[in-house]
Amino acid sequence: MVQLTGLPRAVPGKREATPYEPPADVPGELRRITAEGDWDALESLFDHFWLTMDSELGAQLTTVLTDVPEEELHARPRLMIGGIAAYHAAVYPDAEEHRSFLRRYMDLGRRLAATMDLEHEEVPATVAIVGTAAMIAVRAEGRFAEAEEFGQRLTDRLLRLGPAPAAGPSPRPGWLPMQRGLTRSLMGDFAQATELYRQAVEQAGTEPVSAYAAINATANLAMVFGHLGHRETARRWTERMRSYPPPSGWVSFLLTVGSTLADGWEALDRYDEKALSECLAVTGDGTKPIEVWPFVTALVAAHGLHFGEPAATLAHLGEIRLSHAPALADQGTARQVLTRARADLLLAAGQANRALRVITDAGVGAPWLALPAARLRLLAGEYEVARALAAQATVDPAVSRRDLGQLLLVKALAALRSGDEVEAGRAAAAAMRLRAPDEVLSLATLSEEDRAAIARLVEVPLTERAQARLAAAAPVFPERVELVELTNREHAVLLALAAGGTVSQIARGLVVSVNTVRTQLQSAYRKLGASNRQEALTRAQELGVLGG
C-alpha cells in the first residue's frame, strides 16, 4: 500500500517552490540551461509546459534532456515525468496511439511510488506531480480504494505544506482533483466524482498552461452526466470544455474523449445512429487501453442493443472483458456496465432465463439493473411484479435519469395490463415530463402496440424528425418472453440429470429419497412443458435454465 502518513510541515531552509515566469525566448533559455547545467530551471520549464507543449517544443526539450547527467535526472522525478510528455509530443504529435505514453507514464509512477519518500517530501510541486503519477499507477492496477485514499493524503499533504508566501500558484492546478474524480468515476461514486471534477475546474482556471486540467475535468463531467441521461447538463459542460484553448494534438484525445461520449449519448437519445457511429469511431469499441473504457463500453453496448445484433454484441462484450485486466473489469463502473449490457442483450435475444440469472447473480436491488429486471417481468406477463419493481425503482435516487424515463413507461404498461388505467396514465405522464420532444430512445424500446397504448393515455410530444426516426426504429425487445423459474433443488436435480445421473444416483448424491427426486423432476418437467427426460433437458438448454 502507498503510504503517506506522519507528514511534517515544510520548515525554513528547505527547498521551496518559487514563482516561475516562463522565458520569452524558450530556445535561448534552453541554450543557457545546457551551457550552465541549470537543471532546476529545466525542471521548471517541464513543469510549466507539460501537457501543453507542442511537437516542436517537445523535440527541443527532449534534446536538452539527453544532456542531463544521469544522477541529476534521477534526483529530479518531475523531470523524468516531463520527459515522457516531451518525447510523445515530439514523436506522436497526432496521438492516435496512446498506449506507449500511458504505459511509460504509469510504469514511472509505479517505480516512483515504490522508491520515493513522499512522506517527507517538502516541495509542493513534487508532491503534486510525482504523487499524482503514483496515484494513477495504483489506480491502473485496479486498486481504486487505495488510490483514492492516497489521493486524499496527497491533498492533505499539500494543504499542510501550503505555498510559501512568494510561491505563486500551486503546481499543476486542478490535476490532482481531476485524477481523484476519475478514480471516483471508475468506482461508480458519481456524486463524489462530480464534486472533485468541479474542484479541478475551479483550481485550474483558464490560463493555457493549466487549462488542460479544466478541459479534462469538464469533458469528464459531460461524460458522467451524459452516461446518466442528464442531457442538458452534459451539453453545458461540453460547451464549457470547448470554451478553453484547444489542447495539444498529441494529448487531445485523452483530455476530451469524455465529451465525445456525452455527444454519443445525446445522439442515442435522439436515435441518430449516424451521429452515434461517428462518436464511436473516435472513442473506439471499448478494447482500447484507456481508463474510461467502461464508459465507452456502455455506449458501444447501447449501440449494439438498439442498432445492432444482440448475439454479435454479446460476443464483443466478451472481447472487451478479455482486453482489460480482471482487477479492472470486476469492480465499480466496469462491473455495472458489463453486467447491465449482458442483461439487456440477453433479454433482447429472448433469453429471459439467462438474463434473469445475470440479474440475480449481481445481487438484489442493484439500481443499474432495475430497468432490465422490471422489463423482464413485463415481457414475461408478470404485470404486478413488473409494476412493483418499477414503482420501487422510480423513487431510488441511484437510478439514472435515462432509466427512470423507461421505468415509468414499464410501470404505465404494467398498470394498464393490470386494469389500472388511472395509475397507468400518471406514470405515462411522468415519463413524458422527463422527455424532450426530440428524444426517441425511451419510446423505441417499446413495441408499436405499446407505443400506441401510451399515446392513448397521454400526449406524446415529438418533433418531426423524432417521429421519422421512431417510425423507422426496429424492434429492440421481443413482445413476450418465456420465463421458467426452478427451485434450487429442482435445478440441482435437473443438472444431475443432464450430467447423466440416474434417479437412484441423484438421490444418493443429494441424500434424499428416490421419491423426492421423482417429485422434483416431475415439477421441473411441468414447468418446462416437457413429458420426459430428453424433452426436459432440451427445453432447459434452449431456455438457458441450466446455465451456459
Side-chain angles (χ1 to χ4, degrees), residues 173-300:
W175 190 238
L176 177 55
M178 159 55 225
Q179 291 299 331
R180 288 185 62 200
L182 179 52
T183 303
R184 288 288 185 177
S185 296
L186 296 173
M187 293 171 74
D189 185 354
F190 298 131
Q192 285 295 315
T194 54
E195 176 58 29
L196 286 162
Y197 287 142
R198 288 188 183 96
Q199 290 178 23
V201 174
E202 183 178 346
Q203 291 179 20
T206 58
E207 290 298 318
V209 293
S210 61
Y212 59 85
I215 292 170
N216 204 170
T218 50
N220 283 11
L221 279 162
M223 174 185 75
V224 169
F225 282 108
H227 181 79
L228 297 176
H230 298 277
R231 288 176 59 190
E232 292 298 325
T233 306
R235 191 180 299 131
R236 285 197 297 271
W237 283 115
T238 296
E239 291 170 356
R240 177 81 173 268
M241 183 208 74
R242 289 171 180 156
S243 71
Y244 295 106
S248 298
W250 71 276
V251 78
S252 178
F253 171 82
L254 292 176
L255 296 183
T256 65
V257 64
S259 67
T260 306
L261 288 168
D263 290 343
W265 282 114
E266 180 163 356
L268 177 65
D269 287 336
R270 299 194 313 267
Y271 240 57
D272 186 344
E273 200 270 339
K274 180 175 181 294
L276 174 55
S277 296
E278 289 171 353
C279 291
L280 292 176
V282 174
T283 66
D285 64 357
T287 60
K288 278 187 178 182
I290 57 174
E291 288 197 279
V292 297
W293 70 265
F295 294 92
V296 177
T297 299
L299 192 59
V300 168

Side-chain angles (χ1 to χ4, degrees), residues 31-206:
R31 288 192 294 271
R32 182 196 69 77
I33 286 171
T34 303
E36 299 178 8
D38 188 356
W39 311 126
D40 286 344
L42 182 62
E43 189 172 46
S44 295
L45 269 178
F46 272 101
D47 287 350
H48 183 77
F49 287 109
W50 196 43
L51 293 184
T52 62
M53 64 182 78
D54 57 18
S55 176
E56 182 180 359
L57 179 56
Q60 293 171 352
L61 290 171
T62 301
T63 299
V64 174
L65 199 61
T66 61
D67 295 324
V68 180
E70 187 173 350
E71 65 275 10
E72 292 286 350
L73 184 61
H74 288 167
R76 292 173 169 79
R78 286 152 44 207
L79 203 53
M80 290 190 280
I81 290 173
I84 294 173
Y87 173 80
H88 284 272
V91 177
Y92 303 106
D94 296 325
E96 290 190 9
E97 177 53 63
H98 308 89
R99 192 170 319 195
S100 177
F101 170 69
L102 293 171
R103 185 180 66 249
R104 289 170 184 263
Y105 180 66
M106 291 177 184
D107 284 350
L108 180 57
R110 288 186 191 95
R111 295 200 302 274
L112 294 174
T115 60
M116 284 201 66
D117 184 11
L118 283 173
E119 293 182 6
H120 299 98
E121 177 58 59
E122 295 173 349
V123 179
T126 302
V127 173
I129 295 168
V130 179
T132 304
M135 182 193 74
I136 293 170
V138 172
R139 182 178 70 211
E141 295 175 352
R143 294 147 59 193
F144 295 160
E146 187 177 336
E148 172 51 13
E149 181 186 0
F150 185 46
Q152 182 61 61
R153 292 181 178 183
L154 289 172
T155 302
D156 294 342
R157 174 64 163 156
L158 288 169
L159 289 172
R160 291 187 65 186
L161 283 174
S170 61
R172 302 266 169 92
W175 190 238
L176 177 55
M178 159 55 225
Q179 291 299 331
R180 288 185 62 200
L182 179 52
T183 303
R184 288 288 185 177
S185 296
L186 296 173
M187 293 171 74
D189 185 354
F190 298 131
Q192 285 295 315
T194 54
E195 176 58 29
L196 286 162
Y197 287 142
R198 288 188 183 96
Q199 290 178 23
V201 174
E202 183 178 346
Q203 291 179 20
T206 58

Side-chain angles (χ1 to χ4, degrees), residues 353 356 377 382 483-487 490 527 545:
N353 295 283
L356 179 61
R377 299 295 177 175
E382 298 179 13
L483 193 59
V484 175
E485 295 185 78
L486 302 179
T487 66
E490 289 166 354
K527 291 179 180 179
V545 172

